[in-house]
């Protein structure tokens, strides 16, 4: 079946993997990558598919209601997969306004344009879909009542060897929203607007909340690419606080596959959590990265450990995220495909093999931002 789909934020980290998957898997679809190309958007991420006949890039701000409404009409859009956002917690602490504007007003603008266009059609919302990509951070933070780790209730292919859980509670689809950072507050607000468009106007919407992603093409302000690059360059590794915070990591291509399954088979007005049951304390993960980079670069074991530098903690730093994705596994048959240790090795190799990609980003403007961000830490 032919479909006309807009993927917003397709030049970013996760969006580029989603665009690539859809363009390659569905030659019959018309895929439009809509992106403003902020500091985080990079069309180089999509070089391998840019000439495909079913792909088109449109430079647009999601806050531009008129332009998006026109695009909906011109392209007869019947599906929206919305990933465009300001995504970095540290930036949200410094500049919350940009987060409210893009994440809240931008999402609302897309919703309203989609509503006006779809309601103008004879078939109205039939066959339409507004799929909003959100984060587990909207649920707040979980307790760390087992700091040494316990046997987890569930494992997947993605779970690390000797996988542990650091608390006995998890984020479920039913967990009450309790965001702490300006980033997660803005994402929570956008999630509420999406659900409100279903409840008020009957728009066919879906929301998914995913845990931390890792893999190729992630902007190097985020923990994993930043640290791989710093290890490569012998630069300090700024560990916030004591490095005891826990994150739950999923390989980005597994997230993209989940988005594909949910876009096609997910139930309208449902929420699905996405994650691989793979909790890691930051400091343990950092040691794995050091070991992997040192091994690949031929350094002696432990060579880069003294780059670890404990710095002032992130304000309001959430202690632990751990997502229960069993509903998605049970109802839609999705499962992660990549084991964590394999995924980290693959990721480290990708960044080391793609130094030009990294160096292009980390020179110039970025360097100034980075120096500013870590000034005084
Ligand atoms: P990213 O920062 O790498 O990419 C964001 C993309 O959105 C960029 O290409 C940027 O140019 C674009 N964008 C930003 N503002 C825009 C605007 N006003 N108009 C149009 N385009 C704009 O982000 P990411 O890590 O790929 O995250 C993508 C989505 O997934 C976000 O909604 C994020 O909240 C969510 N998410 C991310 C993670 C994660 O671990 N990275 C986990 C769960 C959910
Ligand atoms: O949980 C999903 C979220 O994961 C997404 O919604 C966000 O868009 C994404 O950025 C990510 O948020 P985090 O804040 O968890 O990711 P980040 O890579 O910034 O940090 C991961 C952990 O590492 C966090 O506990 C903070 C810590 N950290 C991070 C950086 C950049 C450090 O200790 N030092 C650092 O320099």
């Amino acid at each position: 079946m032919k479909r006309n789909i807009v993927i917003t934020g397709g030049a970013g980290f996760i969006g580029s993997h989603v665009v690539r998957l859809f363009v390659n898997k569905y030659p019959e679809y018309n895929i439009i990558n809509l992106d403003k190309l902020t500091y985080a958007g990079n069309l180089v991420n999509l070089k391998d598919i840019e000439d495909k006949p079913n792909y088109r890039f449109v430079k647009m701000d999601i806050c531009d209601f008129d332009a998006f409404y026109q695009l909906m009409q011109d392209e007869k859009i019947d599906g929206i997969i919305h990933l465009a956002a300001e995504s970095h917690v540290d930036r949200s602490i410094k500049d919350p306004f940009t987060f409210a504007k893009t994440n809240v007003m931008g999402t609302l603008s897309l919703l309203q344009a989609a509503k006006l266009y779809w309601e103008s059609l004879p078939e109205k919302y039939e066959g339409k879909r507004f799929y909003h990509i959100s984060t587990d951070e909207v649920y707040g933070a979980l307790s760390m009542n087992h700091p040494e780790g316990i046997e987890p209730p569930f494992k997947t292919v993605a779970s690390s060897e000797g996988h542990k859980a650091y608390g006995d509670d998890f984020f479920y689809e039913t967990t009450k929203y309790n965001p702490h950072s300006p980033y997660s507050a803005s994402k929570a607000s956008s999630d509420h607007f999406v659900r409100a468009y279903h409840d008020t106007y009957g728009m066919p919407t879906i929301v998914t909340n995913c845990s931390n992603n890792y893999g190729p093409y992630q902007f190097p302000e985020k923990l994993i690419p930043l640290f791989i690059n710093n290890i490569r360059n012998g630069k300090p590794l700024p560990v916030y606080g004591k490095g005891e915070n826990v994150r739950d990591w999923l390989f980005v291509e597994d997230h993209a596959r989940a988005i594909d399954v949910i876009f096609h088979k997910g139930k309208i007005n449902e929420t699905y959590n996405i994650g691989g049951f793979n909790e890691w304390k930051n400091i343990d993960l950092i040691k794995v990265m050091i070991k992997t980079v040192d091994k690949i670069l031929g350094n002696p074991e432990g060579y880069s450990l003294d780059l670890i530098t404990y710095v002032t903690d992130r304000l309001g730093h959430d202690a632990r995220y751990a997502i229960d994705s069993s509903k998605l596994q049970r109802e839609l048959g999705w499962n992660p495909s990549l084991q964590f240790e394999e995924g980290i090795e693959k990721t480290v190799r990708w960044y080391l093999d793609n130094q030009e990609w990294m160096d292009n980003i980390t020179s110039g403007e970025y360097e100034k931002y980075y120096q500013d961000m870590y000034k005084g830490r």
Side-chain angles (χ1 to χ4, degrees), residues 4 30 32 56 60 66-77 117:
N4 299 317
N30 165 30
I32 296 174
R56 187 156 85 84
M60 193 185 288
D66 292 336
F68 186 66
Y69 182 50
Q70 192 61 50
L71 182 83
M72 291 286 299
Q73 297 173 79
D74 293 347
E75 298 287 341
K76 302 187 171 40
I77 298 301
Y117 172 59

Side-chain angles (χ1 to χ4, degrees), residues 220 229 232-233 354-364:
N229 196 38
R232 169 184 53 118
N233 293 320
N354 288 275
Q355 292 187 6
E356 198 184 332
W357 180 91
M358 180 65 86
D359 292 344
N360 279 340
I361 294 175
T362 52
S363 57

Side-chain angles (χ1 to χ4, degrees), residues 106-169:
T107 302
L108 179 56
S109 185
L110 298 180
L111 285 163
Q112 182 64 10
K115 170 187 181 294
L116 286 187
Y117 172 59
W118 288 338
E119 286 187 352
S120 74
L121 301 173
E123 76 277 16
K124 307 231 179 276
Y125 287 120
E126 207 187 304
K128 310 297 185 293
R129 188 152 287 203
F130 191 107
Y131 176 3
H132 176 61
I133 309 301
S134 192
T135 169
D136 59 357
E137 297 198 14
V138 297
Y139 296 125
L142 294 164
S143 62
M144 284 273 290
N145 54 350
H146 293 288
E148 298 313 316
I150 51 166
E151 185 64 26
F154 208 79
K155 288 185 195 220
T156 68
V157 171
S159 309
S160 55
E161 277 169 28
H163 169 57
K164 291 177 185 163
Y166 293 96
D168 40 27
D169 48 356

Side-chain angles (χ1 to χ4, degrees), residues 164-180:
K164 291 177 185 163
Y166 293 96
D168 40 27
D169 48 356
F170 294 86
F171 295 139
Y172 305 99
E173 286 83 358
T174 48
T175 301
K176 201 165 156 271
Y177 274 31
N178 186 19
H180 297 139

